[in-house]
Amino acid sequence: MAVRKLEKSEWESYFNEFDKKYREGQIPAKEVQIEIVNDEIGDQVETWWQPLIGLAYDPKDDEFEVAAERHDHLIHKPVEIYVDEDVDGIKTIEVVQEDGTKHIIKLRTPEALPEK
């Protein structure tokens, strides 16, 4: 698959479906890393790899949320959302705010620990 733009009308249902499957164990555990890119700060990693709790879009408050084990990241008033998917599901989500700030949310399956 490839990168595709989600229409705003599908944001809530798309991430609700992902979140439901993720919480039920239909999607394997994921780790998340969040980068923020804008003209003022450049490219900054806000959160290094940590266990993902869930993803959600709330149309009432117009907020996209990434919940991780040690960090809750809210993106207010997003204007565009892109997802990069492959056979294993979502690899990357890019959320763009009105001012052009990009939030790049990367997902990966946790590394297997070496056997002793």
Side-chain angles (χ1 to χ4, degrees), residues 3-34:
V3 175
R4 71 181 179 105
K5 180 180 181 180
L6 298 178
E7 295 303 320
K8 191 165 189 166
S9 61
E10 64 183 315
W11 294 356
E12 183 179 22
S13 61
Y14 180 90
F15 292 107
N16 280 351
E17 183 179 330
F18 171 88
D19 205 55
K20 182 178 186 292
K21 288 179 179 178
Y22 187 70
R23 290 175 191 270
E24 291 175 351
Q26 295 178 42
I27 296 172
K30 300 286 182 186
E31 290 181 331
V32 62
Q33 176 174 290
I34 302 167

PDB file of all heavy atoms in Angstrom, residues 3-34:
ATOM      1  N   VAL A   3       0.969   5.892   0.893  1.00  0.00           N
ATOM      2  CA  VAL A   3       0.452   7.021   1.657  1.00  0.00           C
ATOM      3  C   VAL A   3      -0.866   7.471   1.038  1.00  0.00           C
ATOM      4  O   VAL A   3      -0.992   7.579  -0.177  1.00  0.00           O
ATOM      5  CB  VAL A   3       1.465   8.189   1.648  1.00  0.00           C
ATOM      6  CG1 VAL A   3       0.881   9.408   2.346  1.00  0.00           C
ATOM      7  CG2 VAL A   3       2.775   7.772   2.292  1.00  0.00           C
ATOM      8  N   ARG A   4      -1.837   7.712   1.906  1.00  0.00           N
ATOM      9  CA  ARG A   4      -3.098   8.250   1.404  1.00  0.00           C
ATOM     10  C   ARG A   4      -3.624   9.306   2.370  1.00  0.00           C
ATOM     11  O   ARG A   4      -3.385   9.243   3.578  1.00  0.00           O
ATOM     12  CB  ARG A   4      -4.135   7.161   1.169  1.00  0.00           C
ATOM     13  CG  ARG A   4      -4.700   6.528   2.407  1.00  0.00           C
ATOM     14  CD  ARG A   4      -5.704   5.431   2.030  1.00  0.00           C
ATOM     15  NE  ARG A   4      -6.250   4.799   3.194  1.00  0.00           N
ATOM     16  CZ  ARG A   4      -7.468   5.005   3.655  1.00  0.00           C
ATOM     17  NH1 ARG A   4      -8.282   5.841   3.048  1.00  0.00           N
ATOM     18  NH2 ARG A   4      -7.900   4.369   4.726  1.00  0.00           N
ATOM     19  N   LYS A   5      -4.330  10.257   1.807  1.00  0.00           N
ATOM     20  CA  LYS A   5      -4.931  11.320   2.596  1.00  0.00           C
ATOM     21  C   LYS A   5      -6.312  10.851   3.041  1.00  0.00           C
ATOM     22  O   LYS A   5      -7.103  10.390   2.228  1.00  0.00           O
ATOM     23  CB  LYS A   5      -5.050  12.599   1.767  1.00  0.00           C
ATOM     24  CG  LYS A   5      -5.664  13.747   2.526  1.00  0.00           C
ATOM     25  CD  LYS A   5      -5.755  14.989   1.657  1.00  0.00           C
ATOM     26  CE  LYS A   5      -6.355  16.140   2.457  1.00  0.00           C
ATOM     27  NZ  LYS A   5      -6.454  17.360   1.631  1.00  0.00           N
ATOM     28  N   LEU A   6      -6.572  10.985   4.346  1.00  0.00           N
ATOM     29  CA  LEU A   6      -7.903  10.677   4.855  1.00  0.00           C
ATOM     30  C   LEU A   6      -8.762  11.931   4.774  1.00  0.00           C
ATOM     31  O   LEU A   6      -8.305  13.028   5.108  1.00  0.00           O
ATOM     32  CB  LEU A   6      -7.833  10.241   6.324  1.00  0.00           C
ATOM     33  CG  LEU A   6      -7.048   8.975   6.663  1.00  0.00           C
ATOM     34  CD1 LEU A   6      -7.051   8.751   8.165  1.00  0.00           C
ATOM     35  CD2 LEU A   6      -7.624   7.772   5.948  1.00  0.00           C
ATOM     36  N   GLU A   7      -9.986  11.764   4.338  1.00  0.00           N
ATOM     37  CA  GLU A   7     -10.931  12.880   4.336  1.00  0.00           C
ATOM     38  C   GLU A   7     -11.365  13.132   5.775  1.00  0.00           C
ATOM     39  O   GLU A   7     -11.496  12.187   6.566  1.00  0.00           O
ATOM     40  CB  GLU A   7     -12.138  12.556   3.456  1.00  0.00           C
ATOM     41  CG  GLU A   7     -11.796  12.403   1.987  1.00  0.00           C
ATOM     42  CD  GLU A   7     -11.125  13.631   1.386  1.00  0.00           C
ATOM     43  OE1 GLU A   7     -11.539  14.761   1.710  1.00  0.00           O
ATOM     44  OE2 GLU A   7     -10.172  13.453   0.607  1.00  0.00           O
ATOM     45  N   LYS A   8     -11.608  14.388   6.111  1.00  0.00           N
ATOM     46  CA  LYS A   8     -11.975  14.725   7.482  1.00  0.00           C
ATOM     47  C   LYS A   8     -13.198  13.945   7.953  1.00  0.00           C
ATOM     48  O   LYS A   8     -13.284  13.551   9.121  1.00  0.00           O
ATOM     49  CB  LYS A   8     -12.211  16.230   7.625  1.00  0.00           C
ATOM     50  CG  LYS A   8     -12.337  16.665   9.065  1.00  0.00           C
ATOM     51  CD  LYS A   8     -12.208  18.159   9.245  1.00  0.00           C
ATOM     52  CE  LYS A   8     -12.115  18.482  10.721  1.00  0.00           C
ATOM     53  NZ  LYS A   8     -11.666  19.836  10.985  1.00  0.00           N
ATOM     54  N   SER A   9     -14.124  13.670   7.040  1.00  0.00           N
ATOM     55  CA  SER A   9     -15.346  12.940   7.391  1.00  0.00           C
ATOM     56  C   SER A   9     -15.065  11.503   7.854  1.00  0.00           C
ATOM     57  O   SER A   9     -15.909  10.889   8.500  1.00  0.00           O
ATOM     58  CB  SER A   9     -16.301  12.925   6.203  1.00  0.00           C
ATOM     59  OG  SER A   9     -15.695  12.272   5.097  1.00  0.00           O
ATOM     60  N   GLU A  10     -13.876  10.955   7.542  1.00  0.00           N
ATOM     61  CA  GLU A  10     -13.570   9.581   7.947  1.00  0.00           C
ATOM     62  C   GLU A  10     -12.592   9.485   9.108  1.00  0.00           C
ATOM     63  O   GLU A  10     -12.315   8.384   9.593  1.00  0.00           O
ATOM     64  CB  GLU A  10     -13.068   8.766   6.741  1.00  0.00           C
ATOM     65  CG  GLU A  10     -11.786   9.232   6.141  1.00  0.00           C
ATOM     66  CD  GLU A  10     -11.380   8.437   4.897  1.00  0.00           C
ATOM     67  OE1 GLU A  10     -11.454   7.191   4.879  1.00  0.00           O
ATOM     68  OE2 GLU A  10     -10.961   9.083   3.922  1.00  0.00           O
ATOM     69  N   TRP A  11     -12.079  10.615   9.594  1.00  0.00           N
ATOM     70  CA  TRP A  11     -11.083  10.579  10.670  1.00  0.00           C
ATOM     71  C   TRP A  11     -11.583   9.830  11.903  1.00  0.00           C
ATOM     72  O   TRP A  11     -10.903   8.945  12.404  1.00  0.00           O
ATOM     73  CB  TRP A  11     -10.653  11.984  11.076  1.00  0.00           C
ATOM     74  CG  TRP A  11      -9.907  12.757  10.042  1.00  0.00           C
ATOM     75  CD1 TRP A  11      -9.499  12.336   8.810  1.00  0.00           C
ATOM     76  CD2 TRP A  11      -9.486  14.117  10.151  1.00  0.00           C
ATOM     77  NE1 TRP A  11      -8.850  13.352   8.148  1.00  0.00           N
ATOM     78  CE2 TRP A  11      -8.831  14.454   8.949  1.00  0.00           C
ATOM     79  CE3 TRP A  11      -9.605  15.087  11.126  1.00  0.00           C
ATOM     80  CZ2 TRP A  11      -8.287  15.707   8.722  1.00  0.00           C
ATOM     81  CZ3 TRP A  11      -9.069  16.343  10.903  1.00  0.00           C
ATOM     82  CH2 TRP A  11      -8.409  16.650   9.701  1.00  0.00           C
ATOM     83  N   GLU A  12     -12.750  10.208  12.402  1.00  0.00           N
ATOM     84  CA  GLU A  12     -13.255   9.604  13.635  1.00  0.00           C
ATOM     85  C   GLU A  12     -13.445   8.098  13.470  1.00  0.00           C
ATOM     86  O   GLU A  12     -12.961   7.306  14.284  1.00  0.00           O
ATOM     87  CB  GLU A  12     -14.562  10.268  14.064  1.00  0.00           C
ATOM     88  CG  GLU A  12     -15.082   9.713  15.378  1.00  0.00           C
ATOM     89  CD  GLU A  12     -16.376  10.370  15.835  1.00  0.00           C
ATOM     90  OE1 GLU A  12     -17.112  10.938  14.999  1.00  0.00           O
ATOM     91  OE2 GLU A  12     -16.639  10.311  17.042  1.00  0.00           O
ATOM     92  N   SER A  13     -14.125   7.660  12.418  1.00  0.00           N
ATOM     93  CA  SER A  13     -14.396   6.237  12.241  1.00  0.00           C
ATOM     94  C   SER A  13     -13.117   5.437  11.975  1.00  0.00           C
ATOM     95  O   SER A  13     -12.954   4.324  12.475  1.00  0.00           O
ATOM     96  CB  SER A  13     -15.417   6.006  11.131  1.00  0.00           C
ATOM     97  OG  SER A  13     -14.933   6.488   9.896  1.00  0.00           O
ATOM     98  N   TYR A  14     -12.187   6.009  11.199  1.00  0.00           N
ATOM     99  CA  TYR A  14     -10.934   5.314  10.881  1.00  0.00           C
ATOM    100  C   TYR A  14     -10.148   5.011  12.169  1.00  0.00           C
ATOM    101  O   TYR A  14      -9.720   3.878  12.394  1.00  0.00           O
ATOM    102  CB  TYR A  14     -10.088   6.167   9.929  1.00  0.00           C
ATOM    103  CG  TYR A  14      -8.776   5.528   9.540  1.00  0.00           C
ATOM    104  CD1 TYR A  14      -8.686   4.709   8.427  1.00  0.00           C
ATOM    105  CD2 TYR A  14      -7.621   5.759  10.282  1.00  0.00           C
ATOM    106  CE1 TYR A  14      -7.491   4.122   8.053  1.00  0.00           C
ATOM    107  CE2 TYR A  14      -6.417   5.179   9.925  1.00  0.00           C
ATOM    108  CZ  TYR A  14      -6.343   4.359   8.818  1.00  0.00           C
ATOM    109  OH  TYR A  14      -5.150   3.780   8.471  1.00  0.00           O
ATOM    110  N   PHE A  15      -9.979   6.040  13.013  1.00  0.00           N
ATOM    111  CA  PHE A  15      -9.185   5.839  14.223  1.00  0.00           C
ATOM    112  C   PHE A  15      -9.958   5.101  15.310  1.00  0.00           C
ATOM    113  O   PHE A  15      -9.365   4.363  16.099  1.00  0.00           O
ATOM    114  CB  PHE A  15      -8.586   7.165  14.704  1.00  0.00           C
ATOM    115  CG  PHE A  15      -7.545   7.665  13.740  1.00  0.00           C
ATOM    116  CD1 PHE A  15      -7.806   8.740  12.910  1.00  0.00           C
ATOM    117  CD2 PHE A  15      -6.326   7.024  13.609  1.00  0.00           C
ATOM    118  CE1 PHE A  15      -6.865   9.177  11.987  1.00  0.00           C
ATOM    119  CE2 PHE A  15      -5.381   7.440  12.687  1.00  0.00           C
ATOM    120  CZ  PHE A  15      -5.642   8.516  11.880  1.00  0.00           C
ATOM    121  N   ASN A  16     -11.293   5.213  15.336  1.00  0.00           N
ATOM    122  CA  ASN A  16     -12.097   4.405  16.261  1.00  0.00           C
ATOM    123  C   ASN A  16     -11.956   2.923  15.927  1.00  0.00           C
ATOM    124  O   ASN A  16     -11.827   2.086  16.816  1.00  0.00           O
ATOM    125  CB  ASN A  16     -13.573   4.802  16.213  1.00  0.00           C
ATOM    126  CG  ASN A  16     -13.879   6.041  17.027  1.00  0.00           C
ATOM    127  OD1 ASN A  16     -13.046   6.544  17.774  1.00  0.00           O
ATOM    128  ND2 ASN A  16     -15.090   6.550  16.855  1.00  0.00           N
ATOM    129  N   GLU A  17     -11.982   2.600  14.618  1.00  0.00           N
ATOM    130  CA  GLU A  17     -11.839   1.210  14.197  1.00  0.00           C
ATOM    131  C   GLU A  17     -10.452   0.673  14.551  1.00  0.00           C
ATOM    132  O   GLU A  17     -10.318  -0.431  15.074  1.00  0.00           O
ATOM    133  CB  GLU A  17     -12.077   1.087  12.692  1.00  0.00           C
ATOM    134  CG  GLU A  17     -12.013  -0.341  12.201  1.00  0.00           C
ATOM    135  CD  GLU A  17     -12.282  -0.470  10.707  1.00  0.00           C
ATOM    136  OE1 GLU A  17     -13.028   0.350  10.157  1.00  0.00           O
ATOM    137  OE2 GLU A  17     -11.715  -1.407  10.107  1.00  0.00           O
ATOM    138  N   PHE A  18      -9.405   1.474  14.275  1.00  0.00           N
ATOM    139  CA  PHE A  18      -8.055   1.060  14.639  1.00  0.00           C
ATOM    140  C   PHE A  18      -7.976   0.823  16.140  1.00  0.00           C
ATOM    141  O   PHE A  18      -7.474  -0.206  16.601  1.00  0.00           O
ATOM    142  CB  PHE A  18      -7.023   2.116  14.228  1.00  0.00           C
ATOM    143  CG  PHE A  18      -5.646   1.831  14.782  1.00  0.00           C
ATOM    144  CD1 PHE A  18      -4.758   1.032  14.093  1.00  0.00           C
ATOM    145  CD2 PHE A  18      -5.250   2.347  16.016  1.00  0.00           C
ATOM    146  CE1 PHE A  18      -3.499   0.737  14.614  1.00  0.00           C
ATOM    147  CE2 PHE A  18      -4.000   2.065  16.547  1.00  0.00           C
ATOM    148  CZ  PHE A  18      -3.125   1.261  15.838  1.00  0.00           C
ATOM    149  N   ASP A  19      -8.468   1.777  16.929  1.00  0.00           N
ATOM    150  CA  ASP A  19      -8.369   1.715  18.383  1.00  0.00           C
ATOM    151  C   ASP A  19      -9.106   0.495  18.937  1.00  0.00           C
ATOM    152  O   ASP A  19      -8.599  -0.198  19.818  1.00  0.00           O
ATOM    153  CB  ASP A  19      -8.925   3.013  18.981  1.00  0.00           C
ATOM    154  CG  ASP A  19      -8.333   3.305  20.337  1.00  0.00           C
ATOM    155  OD1 ASP A  19      -7.089   3.362  20.446  1.00  0.00           O
ATOM    156  OD2 ASP A  19      -9.111   3.466  21.298  1.00  0.00           O
ATOM    157  N   LYS A  20     -10.284   0.206  18.406  1.00  0.00           N
ATOM    158  CA  LYS A  20     -11.058  -0.950  18.862  1.00  0.00           C
ATOM    159  C   LYS A  20     -10.287  -2.247  18.586  1.00  0.00           C
ATOM    160  O   LYS A  20     -10.133  -3.083  19.477  1.00  0.00           O
ATOM    161  CB  LYS A  20     -12.417  -0.971  18.148  1.00  0.00           C
ATOM    162  CG  LYS A  20     -13.331  -2.107  18.573  1.00  0.00           C
ATOM    163  CD  LYS A  20     -14.668  -2.015  17.841  1.00  0.00           C
ATOM    164  CE  LYS A  20     -15.665  -3.031  18.323  1.00  0.00           C
ATOM    165  NZ  LYS A  20     -15.350  -4.399  18.014  1.00  0.00           N
ATOM    166  N   LYS A  21      -9.790  -2.394  17.369  1.00  0.00           N
ATOM    167  CA  LYS A  21      -9.028  -3.598  17.021  1.00  0.00           C
ATOM    168  C   LYS A  21      -7.748  -3.698  17.848  1.00  0.00           C
ATOM    169  O   LYS A  21      -7.353  -4.787  18.274  1.00  0.00           O
ATOM    170  CB  LYS A  21      -8.682  -3.592  15.531  1.00  0.00           C
ATOM    171  CG  LYS A  21      -9.868  -3.853  14.642  1.00  0.00           C
ATOM    172  CD  LYS A  21      -9.462  -3.820  13.183  1.00  0.00           C
ATOM    173  CE  LYS A  21     -10.654  -4.096  12.275  1.00  0.00           C
ATOM    174  NZ  LYS A  21     -10.271  -4.019  10.855  1.00  0.00           N
ATOM    175  N   TYR A  22      -7.107  -2.556  18.093  1.00  0.00           N
ATOM    176  CA  TYR A  22      -5.857  -2.539  18.858  1.00  0.00           C
ATOM    177  C   TYR A  22      -6.110  -2.973  20.301  1.00  0.00           C
ATOM    178  O   TYR A  22      -5.396  -3.810  20.845  1.00  0.00           O
ATOM    179  CB  TYR A  22      -5.244  -1.134  18.804  1.00  0.00           C
ATOM    180  CG  TYR A  22      -3.869  -1.045  19.406  1.00  0.00           C
ATOM    181  CD1 TYR A  22      -2.777  -1.640  18.790  1.00  0.00           C
ATOM    182  CD2 TYR A  22      -3.661  -0.358  20.590  1.00  0.00           C
ATOM    183  CE1 TYR A  22      -1.504  -1.560  19.342  1.00  0.00           C
ATOM    184  CE2 TYR A  22      -2.395  -0.267  21.148  1.00  0.00           C
ATOM    185  CZ  TYR A  22      -1.318  -0.870  20.529  1.00  0.00           C
ATOM    186  OH  TYR A  22      -0.068  -0.788  21.075  1.00  0.00           O
ATOM    187  N   ARG A  23      -7.144  -2.425  20.906  1.00  0.00           N
ATOM    188  CA  ARG A  23      -7.464  -2.760  22.302  1.00  0.00           C
ATOM    189  C   ARG A  23      -7.925  -4.208  22.459  1.00  0.00           C
ATOM    190  O   ARG A  23      -7.739  -4.811  23.509  1.00  0.00           O
ATOM    191  CB  ARG A  23      -8.503  -1.798  22.862  1.00  0.00           C
ATOM    192  CG  ARG A  23      -7.957  -0.398  23.061  1.00  0.00           C
ATOM    193  CD  ARG A  23      -9.034   0.579  23.511  1.00  0.00           C
ATOM    194  NE  ARG A  23      -8.588   1.948  23.449  1.00  0.00           N
ATOM    195  CZ  ARG A  23      -7.986   2.593  24.431  1.00  0.00           C
ATOM    196  NH1 ARG A  23      -7.733   1.983  25.561  1.00  0.00           N
ATOM    197  NH2 ARG A  23      -7.619   3.849  24.277  1.00  0.00           N
ATOM    198  N   GLU A  24      -8.549  -4.762  21.405  1.00  0.00           N
ATOM    199  CA  GLU A  24      -9.003  -6.152  21.446  1.00  0.00           C
ATOM    200  C   GLU A  24      -7.892  -7.143  21.091  1.00  0.00           C
ATOM    201  O   GLU A  24      -8.102  -8.345  21.106  1.00  0.00           O
ATOM    202  CB  GLU A  24     -10.184  -6.347  20.493  1.00  0.00           C
ATOM    203  CG  GLU A  24     -11.445  -5.638  20.938  1.00  0.00           C
ATOM    204  CD  GLU A  24     -12.579  -5.732  19.920  1.00  0.00           C
ATOM    205  OE1 GLU A  24     -12.346  -6.205  18.779  1.00  0.00           O
ATOM    206  OE2 GLU A  24     -13.688  -5.314  20.271  1.00  0.00           O
ATOM    207  N   GLY A  25      -6.710  -6.641  20.712  1.00  0.00           N
ATOM    208  CA  GLY A  25      -5.596  -7.511  20.375  1.00  0.00           C
ATOM    209  C   GLY A  25      -5.595  -8.015  18.943  1.00  0.00           C
ATOM    210  O   GLY A  25      -4.788  -8.872  18.588  1.00  0.00           O
ATOM    211  N   GLN A  26      -6.487  -7.482  18.098  1.00  0.00           N
ATOM    212  CA  GLN A  26      -6.505  -7.890  16.691  1.00  0.00           C
ATOM    213  C   GLN A  26      -5.337  -7.278  15.926  1.00  0.00           C
ATOM    214  O   GLN A  26      -4.973  -7.760  14.857  1.00  0.00           O
ATOM    215  CB  GLN A  26      -7.823  -7.469  16.038  1.00  0.00           C
ATOM    216  CG  GLN A  26      -9.029  -8.166  16.599  1.00  0.00           C
ATOM    217  CD  GLN A  26     -10.317  -7.674  15.963  1.00  0.00           C
ATOM    218  OE1 GLN A  26     -10.370  -7.467  14.754  1.00  0.00           O
ATOM    219  NE2 GLN A  26     -11.344  -7.470  16.765  1.00  0.00           N
ATOM    220  N   ILE A  27      -4.786  -6.200  16.469  1.00  0.00           N
ATOM    221  CA  ILE A  27      -3.590  -5.558  15.917  1.00  0.00           C
ATOM    222  C   ILE A  27      -2.491  -5.755  16.957  1.00  0.00           C
ATOM    223  O   ILE A  27      -2.709  -5.481  18.136  1.00  0.00           O
ATOM    224  CB  ILE A  27      -3.833  -4.053  15.660  1.00  0.00           C
ATOM    225  CG1 ILE A  27      -4.918  -3.868  14.597  1.00  0.00           C
ATOM    226  CG2 ILE A  27      -2.537  -3.349  15.257  1.00  0.00           C
ATOM    227  CD1 ILE A  27      -5.371  -2.432  14.403  1.00  0.00           C
ATOM    228  N   PRO A  28      -1.319  -6.260  16.547  1.00  0.00           N
ATOM    229  CA  PRO A  28      -0.241  -6.497  17.510  1.00  0.00           C
ATOM    230  C   PRO A  28       0.187  -5.208  18.217  1.00  0.00           C
ATOM    231  O   PRO A  28       0.011  -4.111  17.691  1.00  0.00           O
ATOM    232  CB  PRO A  28       0.914  -7.028  16.648  1.00  0.00           C
ATOM    233  CG  PRO A  28       0.328  -7.362  15.328  1.00  0.00           C
ATOM    234  CD  PRO A  28      -0.937  -6.594  15.192  1.00  0.00           C
ATOM    235  N   ALA A  29       0.765  -5.370  19.400  1.00  0.00           N
ATOM    236  CA  ALA A  29       1.265  -4.230  20.177  1.00  0.00           C
ATOM    237  C   ALA A  29       2.200  -3.380  19.313  1.00  0.00           C
ATOM    238  O   ALA A  29       2.942  -3.902  18.480  1.00  0.00           O
ATOM    239  CB  ALA A  29       1.993  -4.721  21.418  1.00  0.00           C
ATOM    240  N   LYS A  30       2.138  -2.074  19.527  1.00  0.00           N
ATOM    241  CA  LYS A  30       2.958  -1.131  18.766  1.00  0.00           C
ATOM    242  C   LYS A  30       3.686  -0.194  19.711  1.00  0.00           C
ATOM    243  O   LYS A  30       3.252   0.063  20.833  1.00  0.00           O
ATOM    244  CB  LYS A  30       2.086  -0.265  17.833  1.00  0.00           C
ATOM    245  CG  LYS A  30       1.289  -1.023  16.809  1.00  0.00           C
ATOM    246  CD  LYS A  30       2.158  -1.534  15.694  1.00  0.00           C
ATOM    247  CE  LYS A  30       1.331  -2.248  14.635  1.00  0.00           C
ATOM    248  NZ  LYS A  30       2.165  -2.859  13.640  1.00  0.00           N
ATOM    249  N   GLU A  31       4.807   0.312  19.226  1.00  0.00           N
ATOM    250  CA  GLU A  31       5.514   1.407  19.880  1.00  0.00           C
ATOM    251  C   GLU A  31       5.322   2.635  19.009  1.00  0.00           C
ATOM    252  O   GLU A  31       5.137   2.526  17.796  1.00  0.00           O
ATOM    253  CB  GLU A  31       7.006   1.099  20.012  1.00  0.00           C
ATOM    254  CG  GLU A  31       7.306   0.015  21.009  1.00  0.00           C
ATOM    255  CD  GLU A  31       8.793  -0.250  21.139  1.00  0.00           C
ATOM    256  OE1 GLU A  31       9.547  -0.047  20.168  1.00  0.00           O
ATOM    257  OE2 GLU A  31       9.199  -0.682  22.222  1.00  0.00           O
ATOM    258  N   VAL A  32       5.376   3.805  19.637  1.00  0.00           N
ATOM    259  CA  VAL A  32       5.145   5.053  18.923  1.00  0.00           C
ATOM    260  C   VAL A  32       6.285   6.032  19.187  1.00  0.00           C
ATOM    261  O   VAL A  32       6.863   6.066  20.273  1.00  0.00           O
ATOM    262  CB  VAL A  32       3.776   5.674  19.336  1.00  0.00           C
ATOM    263  CG1 VAL A  32       3.740   6.028  20.819  1.00  0.00           C
ATOM    264  CG2 VAL A  32       3.429   6.873  18.489  1.00  0.00           C
ATOM    265  N   GLN A  33       6.609   6.798  18.162  1.00  0.00           N
ATOM    266  CA  GLN A  33       7.551   7.916  18.276  1.00  0.00           C
ATOM    267  C   GLN A  33       6.892   9.111  17.601  1.00  0.00           C
ATOM    268  O   GLN A  33       6.296   8.969  16.532  1.00  0.00           O
ATOM    269  CB  GLN A  33       8.877   7.599  17.590  1.00  0.00           C
ATOM    270  CG  GLN A  33       9.862   8.777  17.612  1.00  0.00           C
ATOM    271  CD  GLN A  33      11.207   8.392  17.055  1.00  0.00           C
ATOM    272  OE1 GLN A  33      11.929   7.642  17.680  1.00  0.00           O
ATOM    273  NE2 GLN A  33      11.531   8.889  15.874  1.00  0.00           N
ATOM    274  N   ILE A  34       6.982  10.284  18.225  1.00  0.00           N
ATOM    275  CA  ILE A  34       6.332  11.479  17.688  1.00  0.00           C
ATOM    276  C   ILE A  34       7.368  12.548  17.400  1.00  0.00           C
ATOM    277  O   ILE A  34       8.155  12.905  18.276  1.00  0.00           O
ATOM    278  CB  ILE A  34       5.289  12.035  18.681  1.00  0.00           C
ATOM    279  CG1 ILE A  34       4.248  10.957  18.999  1.00  0.00           C
ATOM    280  CG2 ILE A  34       4.621  13.290  18.116  1.00  0.00           C
ATOM    281  CD1 ILE A  34       3.360  11.289  20.187  1.00  0.00           C
TER     282      ILE A  34
END
